[in-house]
Amino acid sequence: MHTAAGSQARLPIRSDMDLVWVRQHVRQAAAQLGFGLVDQTKLVTAASELARNTLVYGGGGTMETEPLVEGTTRGLRLTFSDDGPGIPDLEQALSDGFTSGGGLGMGLGGARRLVHEFGIESTPGAGTTVRVTSWVGRPPRPREES
């Protein structure tokens, strides 16, 4: 796997206006890579939720986009980072239906279902990093049994 030329970027997430720019950038980058409209919408929805979490719970941070190529398949990796208070209980935060209020109400678990790959690192008092990747034309991940 290697980084593709194109829409590699780092965007600040410090205000509601930045959330608009994040959504626009992700949609544009996904379209350039050949994502269909449904897959663009899934990725933009996940990005919107994760960017809002970065702003509201992390006190602001950044989103980095990285176009990827694996063989003939193209993808897009998004990394959301903040230096906020962290998430004390990751398992609870990732569970379906968990919300601490506000936002789209889909939370981390909902964002995870909209992408192919999802990783999160959070240290209380030291911030959170969420990394998601979607691939053009790949079927969605099977739902995890609980």
Side-chain angles (χ1 to χ4, degrees):
M1 180 172 31
H2 66 275
T3 300
S7 303
Q8 189 158 1
R10 181 181 176 103
L11 284 82
I13 301 172
R14 304 251 175 249
S15 69
D16 285 342
M17 194 63 217
D18 290 338
L19 299 179
V20 174
W21 294 120
V22 161
R23 287 192 294 271
Q24 288 178 346
H25 179 80
V26 170
R27 185 168 301 280
Q28 184 177 28
Q32 287 174 349
L33 287 165
F35 281 85
L37 190 57
V38 170
D39 290 330
Q40 287 176 40
T41 301
K42 287 179 180 179
L43 191 53
V44 169
T45 302
S48 184
E49 182 74 6
L50 296 171
R52 178 161 290 289
N53 285 354
T54 299
L55 179 63
V56 173
Y57 304 114
T62 59
M63 177 191 74
E64 293 181 48
T65 60
E66 182 181 5
L68 303 171
V69 176
E70 190 173 86
T72 60
T73 305
R74 292 179 310 276
L76 186 62
R77 175 177 295 143
L78 308 175
T79 304
F80 297 85
S81 303
D82 68 59
D83 296 319
I87 302 170
D89 187 341
L90 273 179
E91 193 172 319
Q92 180 190 35
L94 285 166
S95 65
D96 278 347
F98 178 78
T99 178
S100 50
L104 301 173
M106 114 176 122
L108 293 172
R112 178 170 62 177
R113 280 193 305 281
L114 293 170
V115 297
H116 292 106
E117 299 165 24
F118 182 98
I120 184 168
E121 297 168 18
S122 187
T123 306
T128 301
T129 299
V130 180
R131 185 169 288 116
V132 299
T133 306
S134 285
W135 297 95
V136 174
R138 257 193 212 167
R141 291 183 322 149
R143 230 184 124 140
E144 286 135 22
E145 299 301 317
S146 42

